[in-house]
Amino acid sequence: MTKRVAILISGGGSNMVALVDSMTGDHPARPVLVLSNDPQAAGLDKAAARGIPTAAVDHRPYGKDRAAFEQALQAELDRAQPDILCLAGFMRILTADFIARWDGRMLNIHPSLLPKYKGLNTHARALAAGDTEHGCSVHQVTPALDDGPVLGQAVVPVLPRDTADTLAARVLPMEHALYPAVLRKFATGDRTPVFLRSGLSFPPSNA
Ligand code: GAR
């Protein structure tokens, strides 16, 4: 049976767009809701333009009351009845209670080769460490931040004059390839990991 997917965003939603655009034809899932914690998130308009129902639950009025914020999120999810939640640039930390409710049904994309660089500023941290490879990971969400079984990784080279911005710009298109590839398998119950590697190499392979 076709799986119903809700996508949670906080910003531009480029990963959300990649996921939505992938769920056509014989894909085993369909998007049913794009939900943001920021009513101004640019991704909401992109989802609406694609005919996907959208909703926003502004986290700010809830202050430190994460449970009340999540109750409001859950109310939107109850209306949409998703089978799978995809966090796609959703920048709020979720409580263990919320995560338990979605146990085994929630995915996240993180811009590092986990278990390296959980949390923020992943590109700058990879550069500071002198890594020669960097990338992104899709993982199942468990209560520990950016933890949980890795379902896919995409690797890019770190090039000599990279800044955090140039590295982020190299990783992002790989995110857009990786997340849909993982979701497609996940929606059929296939948890075997997906591995992608960008065509770029350094030094160039013909050097
Ligand atoms: C993406 O790079 C995603 O990996 C990252 O936020 C960006 C969202 O971009 N997520 C995290 O850092 C989660 N900890 P998008 O809104 O264009 O998809």
Side-chain angles (χ1 to χ4, degrees), residues 22-110:
S22 74
M23 285 184 261
T24 59
D26 68 352
H27 197 287
R30 287 292 182 270
V32 295
L33 176 68
V34 171
L35 179 55
S36 176
N37 64 296
D38 178 358
Q40 308 302 326
L44 289 173
D45 288 340
K46 296 177 193 167
R50 285 166 168 75
I52 314 303
T54 63
V57 177
D58 191 342
H59 65 278
R60 287 166 296 193
Y62 295 95
K64 289 192 177 16
D65 193 348
R66 286 185 193 274
F69 166 63
E70 290 176 353
Q71 227 168 47
L73 280 185
Q74 186 61 47
E76 294 296 344
L77 295 170
D78 287 343
R79 270 190 275 281
Q81 293 287 308
D83 302 299
I84 297 170
L85 286 198
C86 288
L87 307 184
F90 184 70
M91 303 308 273
R92 305 301 302 168
I93 289 178
L94 296 165
T95 67
D97 282 350
F98 184 89
I99 291 168
R101 199 179 256 241
W102 289 95
D103 187 30
R105 298 181 294 157
M106 181 159 36
L107 304 180
N108 180 43
I109 186 147
H110 184 73

Side-chain angles (χ1 to χ4, degrees), residues 130-141:
D131 290 356
T132 55
E133 289 189 329
H134 183 50
C136 53
S137 307
V138 174
H139 64 97
Q140 241 171 279
V141 177

Side-chain angles (χ1 to χ4, degrees), residues 6 19 21 25 28 30 51 53 72 80 82 85 88 96 132 142 144-145 147-148 156 160 163 181 207:
L19 290 172
D21 288 352
R30 287 292 182 270
L85 286 198
T132 55
T142 56
L145 181 70
D147 209 69
V156 304
T163 63

Side-chain angles (χ1 to χ4, degrees), residues 8-18 43 46 87-92 108-112 117-123 135-137 139 145-146 168 171-172 175-176 179:
L8 274 64
I9 65 169
S10 297
S14 69
N15 277 289
M16 175 277 296
V17 166
K46 296 177 193 167
L87 307 184
F90 184 70
M91 303 308 273
R92 305 301 302 168
N108 180 43
I109 186 147
H110 184 73
S112 78
Y117 315 129
K118 297 173 181 181
L120 299 175
N121 304 318
T122 56
H123 308 302
C136 53
S137 307
H139 64 97
L145 181 70
D146 299 327
V171 171
L172 193 61
E175 297 188 34
H176 300 161
Y179 211 172

